[in-house]
Amino acid sequence: MRIPVNEPLLGRDELRLVGDCIRSNWISSQGRYLKEFEEGFAAYCGVAHGISVTSGTAALHLALLTLGIGPGDEVLLPTLTMAASAFAVSYCGATPVFLDSEAETWNIDPEAAEGYLRRQAKSGKKKVKALLVVHLYGHPADMDRLREIADRYSLFLVEDAAEAHGAEYKGRRCGGLGDLGCFSFYANKIITTGEGGMVVTDNPRLADKARRLKDLAHSEHQRFLHTDLGYNYRMTNLQAALGLAQLRKIDRHIRIKRRLARAYAQELKGIPGLRLPTEKPWAFSVYWMYALTVEEPFGLSRDRLMAALKERGVETRSFFVPMHQQPVYAQGGLPCRRFGPYPVADEASQKGLYLPSGLTLTRAQIRYVAEQLRLLSPIHGRKEGK
Ligand SMILES: *Cc1c(COP(=O)(O)O)cnc(C)c1O
């Protein structure tokens, strides 16, 4: 048995819509599916505008460009995230400021953000322009708290919702809560376009600017005249067709993820040393990945557990390596600011892993994974260090 850590769920609807693009010759960055996908996904997030792009990374870069973030500016973000969140800041020539996370959800710690901003205010400087929040592994960050901080210090609030399509904070969907929200449609995300991404916003001015910048920034008045540096981040109609077919099933995908989380919670109950993911009372998590940490009482380190599971056909992934530890920032000389220490991020990145969480995972496979964990756990008398 080999159980992959993730797999997309594709079907006949995807084939039909993509086939339609090919039959009709609408394969590039114009066509009806782009408009339908953008409008449909923005509406799903509870906002008016969706700007499709080539990847989640491009979405993040475009969002920060749209806000005018550039050299000399600082952007606050959690150190425990995927490299794309930090790289997007660096692409703009701005400086990422790495902050620790909250222990319970692994999302950005609002206290740390406030601490940094207070210190900067005292020194009379104002370099921080934006707060980039990541809804890690499908669990929303504490948005009211973060919005309050952003407002108090006049910062833009940007969401990296690449792992949180459909996740809700107090009944409102992630991505639609900040000034701009960024999504990825990579193959392992809640819905996919193969590669792809989207920026969503309720602000028509920001939407217009993002739309121009992603298409080489042609002047509004004259094509082939450019007053700004533009990019080609255009999604294709083929990708949008795939995305539209997926969007129609997004609630089903989320139901599958949540059912999977419930099943794991049930099966793993009572195994000592496994800290299972939680859901805050105000949160609706989409459990993009079933993420847990392996604590001392389990007796095996995270890495040894991953190796043992692999031998038994169970693919897992470790948590992200925090950005403050990344060679490209730590030794590579790429500008960044540390605001450590980082007890939560450091510990999570050493102890955290995610279990197979694909949309095609069966109940029997979940039972098998849990059974292997149980067999490897101390309650089965496995000797320390073996
Ligand atoms: C996947 C992901 C991205 C990047 O998306 P791509 O489409 O792979 O470029 C950015 N941020 C987070 C948190 C992600 O998980």
Side-chain angles (χ1 to χ4, degrees):
M1 172 132 44
R2 188 191 149 266
I3 307 178
V5 75
N6 217 323
E7 248 178 350
L9 183 56
L10 302 169
R12 242 173 300 168
D13 301 326
E14 284 78 356
L15 206 54
R16 188 169 56 80
L17 295 198
V18 172
D20 183 51
C21 297
I22 292 170
R23 275 188 300 271
S24 65
N25 259 347
W26 288 95
I27 55 164
S28 202
S29 56
Q30 287 177 36
R32 58 178 276 223
Y33 293 123
L34 280 160
K35 191 166 172 337
E36 279 185 53
F37 182 45
E38 288 179 336
E39 289 180 357
F41 191 73
Y44 185 78
C45 297
V47 294
H49 310 280
I51 300 95
S52 60
V53 291
T54 47
S55 70
T57 307
L60 287 159
H61 185 200
L62 184 66
L64 297 175
L65 286 168
T66 300
L67 296 173
I69 308 266
D73 296 337
E74 293 181 353
V75 176
L76 304 182
L77 75 157
T79 188
L80 189 66
T81 184
M82 201 225 192
S85 327
F87 284 0
V89 179
S90 298
Y91 296 157
C92 296
T95 306
V97 180
F98 301 132
L99 302 178
D100 203 12
S101 293
E102 292 184 310
E104 217 178 325
T105 62
W106 302 304
N107 281 322
I108 190 169
D109 180 4
E111 301 290 332
E114 277 209 286
Y116 186 83
L117 289 162
R118 222 180 293 125
R119 199 180 72 173
Q120 188 163 81
K122 240 185 244 156
S123 73
K125 281 181 288 195
K126 191 191 175 305
K127 291 191 165 180
V128 180
K129 287 283 163 59
L131 184 51
L132 175 56
V133 169
V134 186
H135 307 293
L136 207 66
Y137 305 134
H139 191 292
D142 189 354
M143 292 306 285
D144 278 352
R145 196 65 218 293
L146 294 159
R147 167 53 81 188
E148 190 264 313
I149 295 170
D151 286 350
R152 186 143 38 89
Y153 288 91
S154 312
L155 312 178
F156 293 113
L157 185 59
V158 182
E159 294 174 83
D160 180 344
E163 305 180 351
H165 318 56
E168 293 173 20
Y169 177 78
K170 297 185 180 172
R172 294 169 60 208
R173 293 213 169 104
C174 288
L177 303 166
D179 295 299
L180 293 162
C182 305
F183 288 90
S184 162
F185 304 116
Y186 181 66
N188 68 9
K189 305 295 162 113
I190 300 276
I191 59 170
T192 185
T193 60
E195 294 275 3
M198 202 180 297
V199 176
V200 301
T201 181
D202 223 15
N203 182 320
R205 193 180 49 79
L206 293 179
D208 280 352
K209 185 165 177 198
R211 221 172 261 297
R212 241 166 32 77
L213 288 176
K214 83 155 207 195
D215 184 18
L216 295 177
H218 292 276
S219 151
E220 282 163 74
H221 311 290
Q222 193 182 334
R223 198 165 173 80
F224 302 126
L225 189 70
H226 306 267
T227 49
D228 287 306
L229 179 62
Y231 297 78
N232 175 359
Y233 282 165
R234 300 186 303 262
M235 179 183 266
T236 65
N237 198 46
L238 280 164
Q239 290 165 302
L242 189 52
L244 187 63
Q246 290 264 294
L247 179 60
R248 290 173 182 159
K249 299 182 220 171
I250 189 167
D251 288 327
R252 196 175 127 219
H253 288 195
I254 293 167
R255 271 199 303 278
I256 293 173
K257 293 282 193 190
R258 287 182 60 86
R259 201 186 317 136
L260 181 155
R262 271 197 306 276
Y264 270 130
Q266 226 171 51
E267 302 283 344
L268 300 173
K269 206 166 48 192
I271 300 182
L274 294 184
R275 213 198 90 189
L276 307 182
T278 51
E279 190 177 40
K280 289 285 204 180
W282 40 257
F284 178 83
S285 171
V286 291
Y287 294 95
W288 173 59
M289 290 287 181
Y290 194 75
L292 50 83
T293 56
V294 184
E295 306 290 333
E296 206 73 32
F298 193 82
L300 278 187
S301 71
R302 189 269 316 267
D303 291 341
R304 297 179 79 167
L305 175 59
M306 285 179 69
L309 285 171
K310 192 172 175 206
E311 275 173 27
R312 291 161 173 76
V314 179
E315 207 178 84
T316 57
R317 287 272 188 290
S318 54
F319 276 22
F320 297 123
V321 176
M323 291 305 118
H324 70 273
Q325 292 179 18
Q326 296 290 346
V328 65
Y329 287 109
Q331 295 118 41
L334 195 59
C336 72
R337 265 183 200 290
R338 299 172 57 109
F339 190 63
Y342 301 100
V344 174
D346 286 336
E347 197 177 316
S349 77
Q350 271 180 20
K351 295 181 174 176
L353 63 82
Y354 32 93
L355 297 177
S357 305
L359 290 166
T360 57
L361 201 68
T362 64
R363 181 72 200 221
Q365 287 176 314
I366 292 174
R367 225 173 274 132
Y368 175 83
V369 173
E371 181 61 15
Q372 302 315 305
L373 277 158
R374 197 171 287 280
L375 289 171
L376 289 162
S377 82
I379 49 175
H380 270 263
R382 180 187 36 72
K383 294 245 166 46
E384 194 85 6
K386 215 173 157 188

